[in-house]
Amino acid sequence: MAFGWKVHGDGKRLTPGEVVKPDERLSWPRMVGIGAQHVIAMFGATFVFPLVMGLDANLAVMMSGVATILFLLIVKGKIPSYVGSSASFVGAVVAIRAAGGGDATVTGALLVVGVVLALCGYAIHRLGVGVIHRVFPPIVTGGVVMLIGFGMAYVAADVYWPKDPWVALLTMAATFVFIGLFRGFLGRIGVLLGLVFGFLLSWVWDLVGGKILAPDDSGKVTEHFRVNLDAVAQADWVGLPSFHGPVFEVSAIVLVLPVVIALIAENVGHVKAVGEMTGTDVDAYMGRAVLADGVGTVVATSVGGSATTTYAENIGVMAATKVYSTAAYYIAAAIAILFGLCPKFGALIAATPGGVLGGVTTILYGMIGLLGAKIWIENRVNLSDPVNLVPTGAGIICAIGPVAFPITGTFALSGIALGTIVLLLGYHLLRVTRRSPAQVS
């Protein structure tokens, strides 16, 4: 059931212990307010990650709304969820750009990942969710999430932080406070608040101290202002974002394909969480959810947007409000699409100083990496077992290095791609060849 929500009670309030189910709603004014809260929850990450990857953040926000609507339709309204920009691709995309790949090459590689993810979702739907647990046990999914996060450390350290170390440090410290001490929705948008703080700090510093001598976007050391709003002044208030088609290059595709493992793990975890909160068994829709995420990624990247994934931030909003209505997500998606139709807003996002991104990405990459450890802890993974410990440790170091393994004279497997292959194949090879069964709890 995708539409036709029943009014919950009197449409105004919930009695203690009650929840608004996915096929129910409150009054429409209240649903608009809840939908706006979902926009606030997803917004920081949905525009930060494309910005870090060098993609059009305005277009990414817009296409996240389109992808969310597609997701809700494919899962038949059974799994309330917002689909926003994925952080899992950042490291691989930076590697693609370091090798000379442009926007079209990046989005072409992401589109292929979307196709593979959709096919995996279809396979899960046909074969059952058990296949995931056999191929991607917790030691593998946790390890892949960890190496994705830690494998991006050099981006913060080598690309963004040197552009303005003091702004990076102060932005990071402010974001600590916003995330760690603020409660409710302010805490959930702590990253966004950190970006706003860093932006304003950079602007004030320009007024007081003038230009800075530091690397610019091309890596050359020049004297320039931290904040450049020329593009904002020239942008229109209303208009379409900048679209572009994909370009497919094998070397770029290989770099991002391992992220499929992390995306499947994310989707499964989020769907399970929604099922527990709503008190329903949603395993039958697990495959549909993964397929829907893949379809959303294909549609978004086919016009130049960012790859997508289901969002834990919005699950937090549902937990706080006890409103699981999919109507709120359709409203949030519509608001996101409207944001995408304001080019001036997109130009303002693109003007974010590099030092600000340095402070924020240092936190984000570390948090992503530690989510892998969280998966291990929650699943009681036995790290004293060499079958678990050896390939996981090797894979993580390959990603952090980043270690490179040349395949041809012009192409090498490195970083996150190499680390994922080492971890996945190494684990299953050891598990099959050793005499006693693996302890992977």
Side-chain angles (χ1 to χ4, degrees):
M1 181 177 183
F3 302 104
W5 301 274
K6 298 174 291 185
V7 177
H8 177 89
D10 62 1
K12 297 180 180 179
R13 61 184 65 86
L14 282 76
T15 57
E18 286 190 342
V19 301
V20 178
K21 297 178 180 178
D23 61 349
E24 296 178 333
R25 65 170 177 85
L26 298 175
S27 65
W28 284 115
R30 287 173 173 78
M31 293 311 302
V32 170
I34 293 170
Q37 293 179 61
H38 280 296
V39 173
I40 293 172
M42 69 81 183
F43 193 80
T46 295
F47 89 77
V48 168
F49 296 135
L51 190 63
V52 172
M53 291 186 286
L55 297 174
D56 186 336
N58 208 41
L59 176 59
V61 170
M62 178 181 181
M63 294 310 297
S64 75
V66 175
T68 296
I69 292 173
L70 290 172
F71 180 93
L72 295 171
L73 292 174
I74 292 173
V75 300
K76 298 184 176 180
K78 298 295 184 181
I79 302 174
S81 188
Y82 195 89
V83 180
S85 303
S86 174
S88 299
F89 294 94
V90 175
V93 168
V94 170
I96 292 172
R97 292 196 180 278
D103 289 352
T105 301
V106 167
T107 52
L110 301 185
L111 189 153
V112 173
V113 170
V115 172
V116 174
L117 186 62
L119 292 175
C120 289
Y122 179 76
I124 294 166
H125 182 67
R126 301 294 298 177
L127 300 175
V129 72
V131 68
I132 289 180
H133 303 304
R134 291 192 294 272
V135 179
F136 307 125
I139 181 62
V140 172
T141 53
V144 170
V145 172
M146 182 175 286
L147 67 82
I148 285 173
F150 295 158
M152 296 187 290
Y154 76 94
V155 179
D158 297 340
V159 177
Y160 293 121
W161 198 279
K163 291 184 177 180
D164 198 336
W166 275 106
V167 166
L169 180 64
L170 293 173
T171 299
M172 182 177 68
T175 308
F176 282 174
V177 174
F178 297 142
I179 295 177
L181 300 184
F182 284 20
R183 293 292 179 263
F185 290 111
L186 288 178
R188 277 192 285 275
I189 61 169
V191 172
L192 177 59
L193 294 177
L195 280 167
V196 172
F197 171 87
F199 203 116
L200 293 176
L201 175 65
S202 299
W203 177 65
V204 171
W205 213 325
D206 281 346
L207 292 178
V208 175
K211 296 181 178 181
I212 183 176
L213 184 65
D216 58 17
D217 291 338
S218 66
K220 296 180 180 179
V221 176
T222 62
E223 193 174 37
H224 58 272
F225 286 113
R226 297 170 177 85
V227 179
N228 185 344
L229 298 179
D230 291 345
V232 179
Q234 296 171 7
D236 296 327
W237 280 103
V238 179
L240 290 173
S242 178
F243 298 108
H244 69 260
V247 170
F248 303 102
E249 294 185 11
V250 175
S251 58
I253 293 169
V254 172
L255 280 172
V256 297
L257 271 181
V259 179
V260 170
I261 300 171
L263 294 179
I264 292 175
E266 279 183 336
N267 276 276
V268 171
H270 293 168
V271 171
K272 286 284 189 182
V274 171
E276 289 177 7
M277 287 192 303
T278 58
T280 56
D281 183 1
V282 292
D283 276 3
Y285 290 87
M286 193 76 73
R288 282 182 176 270
V290 176
L291 185 151
D293 189 10
V295 171
T297 292
V298 169
V299 172
T301 56
S302 66
V303 296
S306 178
T308 62
T309 188
T310 51
Y311 260 30
E313 291 90 335
N314 297 91
I315 293 175
V317 173
M318 290 192 292
T321 62
K322 306 300 180 186
V323 177
Y324 306 120
S325 173
T326 54
Y329 285 103
Y330 279 107
I331 292 169
I335 294 173
I337 291 172
L338 291 176
F339 270 129
L341 298 176
C342 180
K344 192 173 288 291
F345 170 74
L348 181 63
I349 293 171
T352 304
V356 177
L357 293 176
V360 170
T361 55
T362 299
I363 296 173
L364 290 176
Y365 298 161
M367 290 174 64
I368 294 168
L370 290 178
L371 284 176
K374 184 171 180 286
I375 292 173
W376 290 344
I377 293 170
E378 291 177 347
N379 289 276
R380 301 174 183 269
V381 169
N382 180 12
L383 288 177
S384 66
D385 182 355
V387 172
N388 293 337
L389 184 63
V390 173
T392 302
I396 290 172
I397 292 301
C398 286
I400 293 176
V403 175
F405 183 81
I407 303 298
T408 68
T410 57
F411 172 67
L413 278 174
S414 64
I416 292 173
L418 180 61
T420 301
I421 293 171
V422 167
L423 170 54
L424 181 62
L425 296 185
Y427 166 79
H428 284 291
L429 179 63
L430 289 180
R431 185 172 182 272
V432 168
T433 54
R434 84 169 182 178
R435 295 180 181 179
S436 57
Q439 301 171 9
V440 293
S441 48

